[in-house]
Amino acid sequence: MLFAAPLLAATCAIAWRFLGTGWTAIVAAAGLLLIAALCARRARAHDTAWLVRTLDGTRPDMDDSAALLFADPSHLRPLQRLQRERLEQRLARTPWTPPTAPLPWRRLLPAWIVGGLVVAAALAWPVASSLPGALPPGAAEMRPAMSPVLRAQSLRIEAPAYTGQSPRTQTELDAQAPAGATLRWTLRFDPQPQRVALRLHDEREIAFVREGEDWTANLRLDQSWLYRIAVDGDTDHVIARAQPWRLDAVPDRAPEVRVRTPEATLSSYTRGQRAWALAFEASDDHGLAPTAQLRITVTRGSGEAITFEDTTRTLRGRGERRAMTFETTLDPVALGLEEGGDLVAQLEVRDNRVPAPQAARSASLILRWPPPPPIDADGLEGLARDVLPAYFRSQRQIIIDAEALIAAQPRIARDVFETRSDALGVDQRILRLRYGQFLGEESEGGGRPPPTADAAPAGPALPIDDFGQQDAPSAPEADGHAHDAGSPPSAQGHDDAHDDHDHAPQDATTFGRADDVLATFGHTHDLPEAATLLDPKTREILRAALREMWQSELHLRQAAPRDALGPANRALELIKQVQQADRIYLARVGTSLPPVDPTRRLGGDRDGIAPRTVPAPALQRDDAPAAAWRALAWDDTPDLAALVAWAQAHPRQVDDPLALLAAVDALRRDAACVTCRQALRGQLWRVVQRPLPTPLRRDAIDAMGTRYLDALYGDTP
């Protein structure tokens, strides 16, 4: 206690001088508790064992048997009891006094000297009223000559309750906290300023409130900020560094769901199966809700006449709150799975964010009743491998998915939106080809066989569009086929005069069978599925439906699902009309096409053909980053306010928005700083959109070129 007393007094003097009375009381209480703990630890060392050692060491008449005085008499042997009686008699004749240890003056004297010097220095330290330039009493209206200096600082971060993070206090003014956290600044200045404010990067200010010797301010962290501390309206009085402080708001990530059982998303139902086991794993950064919803859909029917039955089950998870497992077993028969139907299950989990929890869904798991095997599959031909049928989307489902994609567009990234729209376009293409088979259309993208010597002369090769299809020619070709160049490739009818159709050769698997030989070396349309033809009116309706599907596919592949809804709905109405039409049986007849004039082919006659100009790609409207980047390149003054507004409105287009705002702030504070301008240009280069490549126009023909062309055509010698 004598050694710790001067050190505690020095610590309390320093706290009282620089932190105030409140902190001094806290430091004194903590020091006294520490001294009491040390004293108790030293006192516990003087126990029975210490006393036995001291008796044996200080009194020779104890015969090193002092431990017998503290032993239980019932456990002593006769000789030990006799020795104990002798020791008690000796103590009765000569009482024992514990020795007194001398004070450690070699340690106490330096401690008291240092403590006294520290206390004297703390008491002699000049106060604010005695500093040069301080305000005299009664002259509060005069501005102090000395600017306020930040002496102490602390930042308390209280995360939202659902995150499970305990509050923490730090001295650094840069912070990273979950979105929605509450921040509380506590600052102390010397001398005291008149007004303190928290100035954000958008020039907004949050005023500090004085509480005794401290200044406090609160802020709810809903987004990332850059800020400075302004004292009496000027940030230069406090800020000692050029860069502002950062407040990074960490957003709450959506939960993730993974399917553990079954391994494949598409499973086959076996006859008599009464159990379908499902297992999911879900994880979240802050925690999941204890329950999840399992959405079950049972489909019945085929084609466009499909009915759906939806049910929902509540599953309770097992495991930690950040990683849970959801398991269940479904009975397909009890749920009403029938032959030709599907049982679709999808798990939806939510996190514990308050007030709006985030949801995530797993992949759709499908249990399909496989189709029956072919009736005529016998012998060696019946040794076919079981392959699951292709899962086609219906036109109504494509419309529903397109509407859902339009509704989710503001909440998802641009690349994800384009990928999902392109996938819907692929589904629309598959469905278009499926219905196009009723008009005798061929599969798109097939290869052409090598030409033969007796083949008719073919026209020039046609370009391939973005969908893997050939553009229709603008004039009849020599092979006797004429197509409408204005209609989409999939909507053109298949011609019956098919002597020179491009079909890949097939192998005749069975020797002597006419069907296989004809399929290998010939071409036939007399298939059982295509034997029933449609009347002309119905064919026109179906052809119109295919044209609308092609338009829907075009807009979906261009990431414009809103424009694709109109053609998709019209295609659905036309398909319904085709389904309700009556079928008739017609004989196949050949087509009568106008003869092709061979004198016009490859003649180079361009009379009557208007020149086609290639339109230049449309450039997007200039935005704030591009305008600021050009202004910095031309040594002009950029519109920094518009750039800040753009950065706040498009945070996902910038890798580090606060770094961009910090570069803007540095240029705003020093407009003549060349380094600041270069740093801002470097940040903007990652943001500005590169111009689209444009084809270079051919230079105009000069006099020499004109003479060359005239000589080439024979106009001049």
Side-chain angles (χ1 to χ4, degrees), residues 315-334:
L315 303 183
R316 182 167 292 276
R318 295 185 296 103
E320 302 177 353
R321 65 187 186 94
R322 294 189 179 183
M324 289 187 177
T325 302
F326 299 88
E327 298 178 351
T328 186
T329 302
L330 302 180
D331 187 353
V333 178

Side-chain angles (χ1 to χ4, degrees), residues 459-460 474-478 594-610:
S474 59
E477 300 185 15
V596 178
D597 186 5
T599 60
R600 297 184 57 188
R601 291 183 58 83
L602 303 178
D605 186 8
R606 300 176 58 88
D607 295 340
I609 301 178

Side-chain angles (χ1 to χ4, degrees), residues 413-456:
R414 180 64 185 177
D415 53 349
V416 177
F417 173 78
E418 293 176 353
T419 302
R420 291 175 58 179
S421 180
D422 183 73
L424 285 179
V426 173
D427 294 337
Q428 181 69 84
R429 176 179 179 270
I430 294 175
L431 186 63
R432 173 174 58 81
L433 296 178
R434 181 183 179 188
Y435 281 103
Q437 296 176 0
F438 293 98
L439 295 179
E441 291 188 353
E442 304 293 338
S443 300
E444 297 180 1
R448 292 180 176 271
T452 58
D454 56 349

Side-chain angles (χ1 to χ4, degrees), residues 245-434:
W245 284 289
R246 292 173 57 116
L247 296 177
D248 293 297
V250 181
D252 186 6
R253 297 194 303 268
E256 298 179 358
V257 187
R258 297 173 297 277
V259 180
R260 191 173 63 182
T261 303
E263 296 182 357
T265 57
L266 183 59
S267 306
S268 295
Y269 172 79
T270 58
R271 190 171 298 275
Q273 180 180 353
R274 298 301 301 268
W276 187 32
L278 303 177
F280 305 89
E281 292 181 352
S283 61
D284 188 70
D285 51 354
H286 295 306
L288 295 165
T291 59
Q293 301 297 322
L294 182 65
R295 304 176 61 183
I296 304 172
T297 303
V298 181
T299 64
R300 299 181 182 88
S302 61
E304 293 292 332
I306 297 179
T307 60
F308 301 89
E309 181 181 349
D310 297 332
T311 57
T312 304
R313 290 188 180 182
T314 301
L315 303 183
R316 182 167 292 276
R318 295 185 296 103
E320 302 177 353
R321 65 187 186 94
R322 294 189 179 183
M324 289 187 177
T325 302
F326 299 88
E327 298 178 351
T328 186
T329 302
L330 302 180
D331 187 353
V333 178
L335 292 173
L337 181 62
E338 299 177 355
E339 184 173 358
D342 294 338
L343 176 61
V344 185
Q346 188 181 40
L347 184 70
E348 180 179 353
V349 298
R350 296 179 181 273
D351 59 6
N352 58 355
R353 189 177 70 172
V354 178
Q358 301 180 100
R361 295 180 180 178
S362 67
S364 296
L365 302 177
I366 304 173
L367 180 63
R368 174 164 299 164
W369 192 306
I375 300 177
D376 56 349
D378 54 355
L380 295 178
E381 297 179 0
L383 298 178
R385 211 173 73 185
D386 294 335
V387 181
L388 294 177
Y391 183 66
F392 290 105
R393 290 179 182 263
S394 63
Q395 186 65 24
R396 183 183 296 106
Q397 185 63 36
I398 291 177
I399 295 174
I400 294 174
D401 292 346
E403 293 176 349
L405 180 61
I406 293 173
Q409 181 179 3
R411 302 189 303 270
I412 60 179
R414 180 64 185 177
D415 53 349
V416 177
F417 173 78
E418 293 176 353
T419 302
R420 291 175 58 179
S421 180
D422 183 73
L424 285 179
V426 173
D427 294 337
Q428 181 69 84
R429 176 179 179 270
I430 294 175
L431 186 63
R432 173 174 58 81
L433 296 178
R434 181 183 179 188

